[in-house]
PDB file of all heavy atoms in Angstrom:
ATOM      1  N   ALA A  61       9.195  55.375  49.187  1.00  0.00           N
ATOM      2  CA  ALA A  61       9.024  56.831  49.190  1.00  0.00           C
ATOM      3  C   ALA A  61      10.197  57.511  49.893  1.00  0.00           C
ATOM      4  O   ALA A  61      10.725  58.521  49.420  1.00  0.00           O
ATOM      5  CB  ALA A  61       7.707  57.189  49.880  1.00  0.00           C
ATOM      6  N   GLU A  62      10.630  56.936  51.002  1.00  0.00           N
ATOM      7  CA  GLU A  62      11.769  57.505  51.730  1.00  0.00           C
ATOM      8  C   GLU A  62      13.027  57.455  50.863  1.00  0.00           C
ATOM      9  O   GLU A  62      13.808  58.403  50.795  1.00  0.00           O
ATOM     10  CB  GLU A  62      12.010  56.733  53.039  1.00  0.00           C
ATOM     11  CG  GLU A  62      13.107  57.377  53.884  1.00  0.00           C
ATOM     12  CD  GLU A  62      13.512  56.518  55.070  1.00  0.00           C
ATOM     13  OE1 GLU A  62      12.715  55.655  55.487  1.00  0.00           O
ATOM     14  OE2 GLU A  62      14.640  56.704  55.566  1.00  0.00           O
ATOM     15  N   LEU A  63      13.171  56.334  50.171  1.00  0.00           N
ATOM     16  CA  LEU A  63      14.335  56.162  49.300  1.00  0.00           C
ATOM     17  C   LEU A  63      14.333  57.220  48.202  1.00  0.00           C
ATOM     18  O   LEU A  63      15.366  57.807  47.876  1.00  0.00           O
ATOM     19  CB  LEU A  63      14.291  54.745  48.715  1.00  0.00           C
ATOM     20  CG  LEU A  63      15.561  54.197  48.088  1.00  0.00           C
ATOM     21  CD1 LEU A  63      16.743  54.362  49.032  1.00  0.00           C
ATOM     22  CD2 LEU A  63      15.372  52.729  47.747  1.00  0.00           C
ATOM     23  N   LEU A  64      13.159  57.467  47.669  1.00  0.00           N
ATOM     24  CA  LEU A  64      13.056  58.448  46.584  1.00  0.00           C
ATOM     25  C   LEU A  64      13.426  59.845  47.060  1.00  0.00           C
ATOM     26  O   LEU A  64      14.008  60.625  46.311  1.00  0.00           O
ATOM     27  CB  LEU A  64      11.649  58.457  46.002  1.00  0.00           C
ATOM     28  CG  LEU A  64      11.334  57.308  45.043  1.00  0.00           C
ATOM     29  CD1 LEU A  64      10.030  57.580  44.313  1.00  0.00           C
ATOM     30  CD2 LEU A  64      12.458  57.125  44.034  1.00  0.00           C
ATOM     31  N   GLU A  65      13.096  60.151  48.320  1.00  0.00           N
ATOM     32  CA  GLU A  65      13.477  61.457  48.845  1.00  0.00           C
ATOM     33  C   GLU A  65      14.984  61.617  48.880  1.00  0.00           C
ATOM     34  O   GLU A  65      15.525  62.694  48.687  1.00  0.00           O
ATOM     35  CB  GLU A  65      12.931  61.625  50.273  1.00  0.00           C
ATOM     36  CG  GLU A  65      11.478  62.063  50.311  1.00  0.00           C
ATOM     37  CD  GLU A  65      10.927  61.988  51.730  1.00  0.00           C
ATOM     38  OE1 GLU A  65      11.714  62.216  52.683  1.00  0.00           O
ATOM     39  OE2 GLU A  65       9.724  61.698  51.875  1.00  0.00           O
ATOM     40  N   LYS A  66      15.655  60.489  49.143  1.00  0.00           N
ATOM     41  CA  LYS A  66      17.107  60.556  49.284  1.00  0.00           C
ATOM     42  C   LYS A  66      17.852  60.335  47.971  1.00  0.00           C
ATOM     43  O   LYS A  66      19.037  60.625  47.864  1.00  0.00           O
ATOM     44  CB  LYS A  66      17.556  59.499  50.298  1.00  0.00           C
ATOM     45  CG  LYS A  66      17.076  59.832  51.690  1.00  0.00           C
ATOM     46  CD  LYS A  66      17.446  58.784  52.690  1.00  0.00           C
ATOM     47  CE  LYS A  66      17.060  59.292  54.088  1.00  0.00           C
ATOM     48  NZ  LYS A  66      16.944  58.232  55.069  1.00  0.00           N
ATOM     49  N   LEU A  67      17.136  59.784  47.013  1.00  0.00           N
ATOM     50  CA  LEU A  67      17.794  59.434  45.748  1.00  0.00           C
ATOM     51  C   LEU A  67      17.896  60.653  44.841  1.00  0.00           C
ATOM     52  O   LEU A  67      16.880  61.205  44.421  1.00  0.00           O
ATOM     53  CB  LEU A  67      16.994  58.316  45.054  1.00  0.00           C
ATOM     54  CG  LEU A  67      17.576  57.759  43.760  1.00  0.00           C
ATOM     55  CD1 LEU A  67      18.927  57.092  44.014  1.00  0.00           C
ATOM     56  CD2 LEU A  67      16.617  56.764  43.125  1.00  0.00           C
ATOM     57  N   ASP A  68      19.106  61.056  44.571  1.00  0.00           N
ATOM     58  CA  ASP A  68      19.314  62.255  43.750  1.00  0.00           C
ATOM     59  C   ASP A  68      19.640  61.856  42.321  1.00  0.00           C
ATOM     60  O   ASP A  68      20.784  61.577  41.984  1.00  0.00           O
ATOM     61  CB  ASP A  68      20.458  63.079  44.354  1.00  0.00           C
ATOM     62  CG  ASP A  68      20.719  64.325  43.523  1.00  0.00           C
ATOM     63  OD1 ASP A  68      19.854  64.674  42.692  1.00  0.00           O
ATOM     64  OD2 ASP A  68      21.794  64.916  43.698  1.00  0.00           O
TER      65      ASP A  68
END
Side-chain angles (χ1 to χ4, degrees):
Chain A
E62 185 189 338
L63 196 51
L64 282 192
E65 278 171 32
K66 292 177 173 160
L67 184 63
D68 179 15

